[in-house]
Amino acid sequence: MYDSCANTAKLRAKRTAGGNVLHKRYMKFAIDHVFAGVSCPAYEALYFDESFNSDVSRALCMGRTLLRLDRGADQIVRHVGFEPARAAGAAIDQAYGASRASFVEELVYDVRARRGEWRTIPNRFAERVKTTGTIEFIDERGGTRRVVRGVVRVSLFGFGGIVERMIVGEIEKNYAATTELTNAYLAKSR
């Protein structure tokens, strides 16, 4: 026999005080690349070199504006605004209307640990799209390993998971392209 009281209790347990259903979902990712023939300090210097980063952004057709760069003995704080170039009429730009899709990347990097925490803040839906993570440079035999880990949380009813996968795909694509450009630069400078 159907017990409506027991089922109601289960439903209440899955709802917030305001009646919204709780969904705990997000998408994690990890990106791992090794740069041969470069020490951690040398790679770190290149990673924070503004001239190099401007060249990489141009190669990736990504508008880039340095908003803040504070270098200390223990910490580097960098905030950069990015505006990806997209084909006219791209779906994401249609969703954003007249303003183009862009984001700010904030990074706080611990120089001694060679590890940073980052987050991106989109120009639209910032309260619904959260992307955070870490970046770490590790000594590797004959080079440097860069490990990027992140979590993408999108709270958009009905298609949050699709947007999460799109964001992770873009992040992976950009890091892969950046790795190719970095390796080409390192090979040329040897």
Side-chain angles (χ1 to χ4, degrees):
M1 181 171 192
Y2 180 75
D3 184 356
S4 63
C5 292
N7 289 332
T8 303
K10 287 179 187 175
L11 286 175
R12 284 190 190 134
K14 294 181 182 178
R15 294 186 180 272
T16 65
N20 296 319
V21 176
L22 294 174
H23 293 284
K24 292 188 179 184
R25 44 178 264 113
Y26 52 87
M27 189 166 189
K28 288 184 176 183
F29 64 91
I31 302 168
D32 189 338
H33 292 113
V34 175
F35 300 92
V38 64
S39 67
C40 269
Y43 179 76
E44 179 183 84
L46 183 62
Y47 185 82
F48 287 104
D49 182 79
E50 282 307 304
S51 176
F52 175 74
N53 282 305
S54 293
D55 291 346
V56 168
S57 292
R58 274 192 296 282
L60 295 176
C61 299
M62 173 119 32
R64 182 181 191 278
T65 304
L66 180 64
L67 304 172
R68 176 182 176 190
L69 180 60
D70 298 329
R71 291 178 185 258
D74 298 331
Q75 187 179 68
I76 299 172
V77 177
R78 181 174 71 182
H79 296 183
V80 180
F82 290 99
E83 185 174 314
R86 292 190 174 83
I92 191 75
D93 288 332
Q94 291 174 3
Y96 279 113
S99 70
R100 292 188 52 103
S102 65
F103 62 94
V104 172
E105 178 188 78
E106 296 181 347
L107 172 65
V108 178
Y109 181 78
D110 182 328
V111 174
R112 295 188 201 299
R114 291 195 179 115
R115 185 175 190 277
E117 294 188 11
W118 57 267
R119 71 178 184 152
T120 60
I121 305 163
N123 68 326
R124 301 283 303 259
F125 307 114
E127 67 284 350
R128 296 187 173 273
V129 179
K130 307 287 184 201
T131 307
T132 60
T134 60
I135 186 165
E136 188 173 8
F137 306 143
I138 304 164
D139 281 319
E140 182 81 13
R141 182 179 294 191
T144 299
R145 179 178 298 276
R146 180 191 62 206
V147 180
V148 179
R149 291 183 178 89
V151 175
V152 178
R153 290 179 179 89
V154 177
S155 301
L156 296 172
F157 183 72
F159 57 97
I162 294 168
V163 175
E164 288 170 355
R165 286 188 294 279
M166 286 174 49
I167 291 171
V168 169
E170 283 295 312
I171 291 170
E172 289 173 338
K173 181 179 86 173
N174 285 332
Y175 270 103
T178 300
T179 298
E180 284 183 38
L181 292 166
T182 302
N183 281 328
Y185 174 84
L186 291 170
K188 195 170 22 169
S189 62
R190 288 186 188 122

